[in-house]
Amino acid sequence: MNILLVEDELNLARAVKKILEQQGYYVDAVHDGLSAIDYAKGMEYQLIILDVMLPKLDGFEVLRILRKDGLNVPILMLTARSAVADKVTGLNSGADDYLTKPFDTEELLARVGALTRRRGEVIVEELKYEDLSLSVQSAVLSCGGESVQLSHKEFELLKCFLYNPTMTLTKETLILRAWGADSEATDNNVEVYISFLRKKLRYLRSRVAIRNIQKLGYRLEVEPC
Ligand code: CA
């Protein structure tokens, strides 16, 4: 489950990201309103947590723009405790819920849980992209009539790509998602596992390949039929 967190207080953003990641959510954190719009439009999220006071574009503006563009992802607004008027403005602009700062972990997780369950629990069993199909239960990757078992790290890495098939993913992002924030994994670990994944993709004769994007990271690429 992917969550976009928009919060310009860096310590709070880091803490919230960590709490959510411990619960198994994938979290992208951005720190201003314009980046929030870029990310929200560029990736698929099941929830956006949106602070009101933000640089460049405030949370209400972000909310209005996203709703105007037809994005119906649930949005949880973060507001200052005193600002009751904020809540009304937020809900009128299309927010699904709000949380007043400071909030405790339990409260945050309860709201996040409620919003991500609201449309029925979506249990994805298979991730599909082009000719690939990845079983989330068994970590078996299939293409055409062939399949291959992925190791745990290969599975975590490939999931990041399949959830964000058009994005360039940095090694930093991949480490965070496959190894976790507290790990001592390095770029070298990522390179090794990417090479394992590439071997398996070649073995399956998939049209999907993992390309190096110079100095940025990796992105999926599809060979034409
Ligand atoms: Ca703020």
Side-chain angles (χ1 to χ4, degrees):
M1 185 113 26
N2 288 354
I3 295 180
L4 177 63
L5 170 65
V6 190
E7 171 60 68
D8 61 316
E9 289 162 54
L10 297 185
N11 285 336
L12 181 60
R14 264 193 290 273
V16 169
K17 183 171 158 70
K18 195 168 177 193
I19 290 164
L20 293 171
E21 283 174 346
Q22 281 164 351
Q23 301 298 311
Y25 296 102
Y26 282 145
V27 181
D28 288 324
V30 296
H31 313 299
D32 68 77
L34 289 179
S35 308
I37 289 182
D38 286 345
Y39 272 70
K41 288 183 177 175
M43 296 240 246
E44 201 153 300
Y45 294 103
Q46 282 70 48
L47 174 68
I48 298 176
I49 301 176
L50 181 60
D51 186 28
V52 172
M53 297 295 285
L54 288 169
K56 295 186 184 171
L57 207 59
D58 77 27
F60 293 135
E61 278 303 309
V62 172
L63 178 63
R64 280 192 202 100
I65 290 170
L66 294 181
R67 290 301 190 229
K68 194 166 147 270
D69 286 359
L71 222 83
N72 62 356
V73 52
I75 295 181
L76 171 62
M77 302 289 290
L78 301 180
T79 71
R81 186 169 285 284
S82 54
V84 177
D86 279 3
K87 295 174 189 170
V88 178
T89 311
L91 292 171
N92 285 342
S93 315
D96 295 84
D97 201 357
Y98 54 84
L99 192 57
T100 47
K101 292 190 202 177
F103 47 82
D104 64 35
T105 305
E106 295 301 311
E107 198 179 359
L108 172 71
L109 291 177
R111 300 296 178 89
V112 167
L115 287 169
T116 51
R117 272 195 305 271
R118 179 173 289 183
R119 300 167 195 206
E121 192 86 16
V122 180
I123 299 168
V124 180
E125 291 178 346
E126 264 189 349
L127 287 171
K128 288 179 188 276
Y129 180 64
E130 295 292 336
D131 56 5
L132 290 176
S133 168
L134 175 64
S135 162
V136 174
Q137 289 289 313
S138 62
V140 168
L141 180 65
S142 310
C143 175
E146 296 282 354
S147 357
V148 64
Q149 177 70 49
L150 298 187
S151 72
H152 178 65
K153 291 289 178 249
E154 290 167 351
F155 173 64
E156 291 298 326
L157 284 175
L158 188 61
K159 259 197 323 191
C160 297
F161 285 106
L162 296 181
Y163 274 125
N164 307 290
T166 58
M167 296 281 294
T168 298
L169 300 176
T170 62
K171 287 177 182 167
E172 199 184 6
T173 301
L174 293 170
I175 288 173
L176 203 64
R177 291 191 166 182
W179 279 268
D182 301 328
S183 88
E184 289 177 3
T186 63
D187 287 3
N188 190 40
N189 296 89
V190 177
E191 286 158 20
V192 168
Y193 279 94
I194 292 285
S195 77
F196 292 161
L197 271 178
R198 282 176 171 151
K199 272 186 198 149
K200 291 189 175 177
L201 290 170
R202 280 198 296 271
Y203 168 78
L204 293 170
R205 297 171 198 270
S206 173
R207 294 195 293 114
V208 179
I210 300 172
R211 285 277 169 264
N212 280 349
I213 306 296
Q214 208 42 264
K215 292 186 182 150
L216 289 175
Y218 301 97
R219 189 172 58 205
L220 293 186
E221 191 173 89
V222 185
E223 286 165 27
C225 292

